[in-house]
Amino acid sequence: MPDPVEDQPLKGRKLLLGVTGGIAAYKAATLVRLFKKGGADVQVLMTPDAGRFITPLTLGTLSGREVLIEIFPENEDGTWTKHVELGLWADLFVVAPATAQTLARLAHGFSDSMLTATALAARCPMLVCPAMDHDMYLHPATQANLERLRSYGYEVMPPGFGALASGLVGHGRMPEPEEIFARVVEKLGAGDEAARGASLEGKEVLVTAGPTREALDPVRFLTNHSTGSMGFALAEAAARRGARVSLVSGPSALPTPPGVTRVDVVTAEEMHAEVQARKDADLVLMAAAVADFTPETTAASKLKKTGDAMTLRLRPTPDILAALGREKRPGQTLVGFALETDDGLANARRKLERKNLDWIALNNPNEEGAGFGVGTNRVTLLHRSGRTEALPLMPKRALAEAILDRVTASMRAGVPEGT
Ligand code: C5P
């Protein structure tokens, strides 16, 4: 019979396990054992108070890695960016048990221990497992903190109902280690071998990002609310996977991600020209919110107010992605983004076909936590094979990784994904 642990469903996966100072911390030992037996590489981070419930020696021995607690360790080794390295290293960060105190710290962006600092630096999905007394759990402050964490894209595993260490019976029991293990396996997509750490080594990747600006006169322009964050996250993630990445960006205040060649443009026409110059890329991720129309004429001087109504005549801009789709070469992968407020799935599917895309990521800016100017997004990924996958609400950086996992797996397999 298949064994859910011995079959090593977490082989090759890198997990951060945050352990905080609640009585359920004793269960962290079992959790580490399960993760290790499941094949994962586990780094334990403890809050200073967690050591009152379980020793770092126990968890360090079980995980095979030194447990990290303070952001400034006693034995300074001349480095202090471990939180950043770990935040980049992990595939998933689990906090179990998560006390009310740590939830509050995470919700408000504290970085006063290795655990909280790493959580701020982490690009991977987060799974928190609250464990505390019934009334602490139901207190509006804790509930508001959990809500806030959900709005950042954290998944909250609800605590169970039962006997609590306080002697009370109620909500607040940490889920059993086996349940947490099963959720982690689900979250990381067990058996999705091809997606693991999917590399883009040696690939040319072209990403577009941000809005475009279409000038009416020397001081005014038509644009949209795009900040560029989704495209920048994709460019950053692709560069980390070893690709040579060009990022053609409309006006955006975001810093250029490390290792990425950035080309700044203003108008849709300019973006079209820069994309055409790089159209041989192996993978094109077209995340820019390109203006569909531009003024027929741009006034040379500032348009004067006359007191009368004014009519603007607009002409369509080139559809940059459709142009790539028409000339798509074998082996090239094209990914578009569709922002739809109504009838999203049908419209996205039509766009995918009309523009000859391999994938389209659909999002609805009216949904909470999705769209422009927020750190999170929720997309549904549609593949040309007909496969559709609704991804959960996630930070845009985690979403970039999730999208690249799937896209890269289909590129590497060289076969239609999901068939
Ligand atoms: O047709 P629609 O604008 O909704 O399609 C969205 C996708 O097409 C996005 O990937 C966007 O970057 C791309 N697009 C484009 N050129 C345009 C308009 C949109 O490449 N003029």
Side-chain angles (χ1 to χ4, degrees):
M1 214 176 101
D3 183 304
V5 179
E6 299 288 347
D7 289 350
Q8 298 227 303
L10 297 177
K11 194 161 188 304
R13 295 305 209 164
K14 302 190 249 348
L15 297 182
L16 288 170
L17 175 63
V19 180
T20 74
I23 181 63
Y26 79 90
K27 294 186 185 175
T30 310
L31 200 48
V32 173
R33 279 293 290 149
L34 286 173
F35 286 155
K36 289 292 289 180
K37 279 180 83 177
D41 195 352
V42 185
Q43 171 66 58
V44 178
L45 310 175
M46 284 168 75
T47 57
D49 282 343
R52 294 170 184 254
F53 295 93
I54 185 159
T55 70
L57 188 62
T58 306
L59 298 183
T61 308
L62 291 175
S63 65
R65 279 173 173 265
E66 185 193 355
V67 170
L68 303 171
I69 300 172
E70 304 288 351
I71 178 92
F72 296 110
E74 246 166 55
N75 302 322
E76 307 229 359
D77 58 0
T79 62
W80 83 284
T81 51
K82 217 166 206 155
H83 53 297
V84 177
E85 281 160 33
L86 288 172
L88 294 176
W89 170 83
D91 295 315
L92 180 68
F93 192 156
V94 184
V95 185
T99 56
Q101 163 82 311
T102 294
L103 291 175
R105 287 176 186 279
L106 293 173
H108 295 276
F110 280 59
S111 59
D112 53 353
S113 69
M114 189 56 104
L115 189 158
T116 52
T118 306
L120 275 185
R123 290 187 189 165
C124 59
M126 304 284 304
L127 176 67
V128 294
C129 306
M132 65 200 74
D133 196 55
H134 176 82
D135 297 293
M136 292 173 78
Y137 176 65
L138 292 182
H139 193 285
T142 304
Q143 289 301 315
N145 286 333
L146 289 171
E147 209 35 59
R148 207 177 241 258
L149 291 174
R150 284 192 195 97
S151 78
Y152 305 155
Y154 281 43
E155 178 178 335
V156 177
M157 220 174 148
F161 186 89
L164 302 170
S166 59
L168 297 175
V169 173
H171 294 283
R173 277 175 73 89
M174 187 173 95
E176 292 307 321
E178 290 73 13
E179 293 169 61
I180 298 174
F181 177 83
R183 183 67 200 119
V184 167
V185 170
E186 255 171 42
K187 249 182 120 56
L188 289 177
D192 197 1
E193 198 70 54
R196 268 177 216 167
S199 162
L200 282 168
E201 207 71 53
K203 300 284 184 201
E204 274 313 323
V205 174
L206 171 62
V207 183
T208 66
T212 60
R213 281 183 188 169
E214 310 300 326
L216 291 168
D217 67 16
V219 290
R220 304 181 180 98
F221 51 81
L222 302 175
T223 190
N224 57 64
H225 293 295
S226 170
T227 57
S229 51
M230 192 66 236
F232 277 61
L234 284 164
E236 181 171 4
R240 277 206 299 122
R241 288 169 191 238
R244 281 189 303 280
V245 183
S246 302
L247 172 62
V248 177
S249 177
S252 168
L254 296 172
T256 308
V260 167
T261 306
R262 176 171 177 170
V263 181
D264 285 311
V265 296
V266 177
T267 66
E269 291 276 1
E270 287 169 15
M271 185 172 278
H272 182 56
E274 295 295 349
V275 166
Q276 280 294 311
R278 295 165 181 79
K279 67 179 178 190
D280 287 337
D282 301 295
L283 169 62
V284 181
L285 298 150
M286 189 76 204
V290 186
D292 290 326
F293 297 97
T294 190
E296 261 191 357
T297 53
T298 302
S301 320
K302 187 182 168 196
L303 294 166
K304 289 281 181 228
K305 169 164 63 183
T306 60
D308 294 331
M310 174 179 176
T311 305
L312 272 182
R313 280 197 62 84
L314 304 174
R315 63 178 162 81
T317 54
D319 191 316
I320 304 169
L321 190 52
L324 293 181
R326 282 193 294 273
E327 299 174 44
K328 187 161 81 172
R329 64 171 173 78
Q332 186 178 41
T333 300
L334 297 183
V335 184
F337 282 74
L339 197 73
E340 302 287 345
T341 50
D342 304 290
D343 212 4
L345 278 176
N347 280 328
R349 175 70 54 200
R350 262 197 299 276
K351 265 178 205 174
L352 180 143
E353 281 161 16
R354 186 167 55 78
K355 301 194 189 199
N356 193 20
L357 308 181
D358 299 282
W359 296 87
I360 197 157
L362 163 68
N363 59 78
N364 179 345
N366 296 336
E367 259 188 56
E368 204 176 324
F372 295 124
V374 287
T376 54
N377 203 3
R378 187 199 303 277
V379 310
T380 300
L381 264 184
L382 291 85
H383 186 258
R384 67 182 147 81
S385 65
R387 177 183 157 200
T388 301
E389 183 183 5
L391 297 171
L393 182 73
M394 281 191 245
K396 283 183 177 162
R397 281 172 149 177
L399 188 59
E401 301 288 354
I403 292 173
L404 284 188
D405 276 348
R406 285 150 184 80
V407 169
T408 312
S410 72
M411 285 168 75
R412 291 202 315 178
V415 293
E417 172 75 10
T419 51

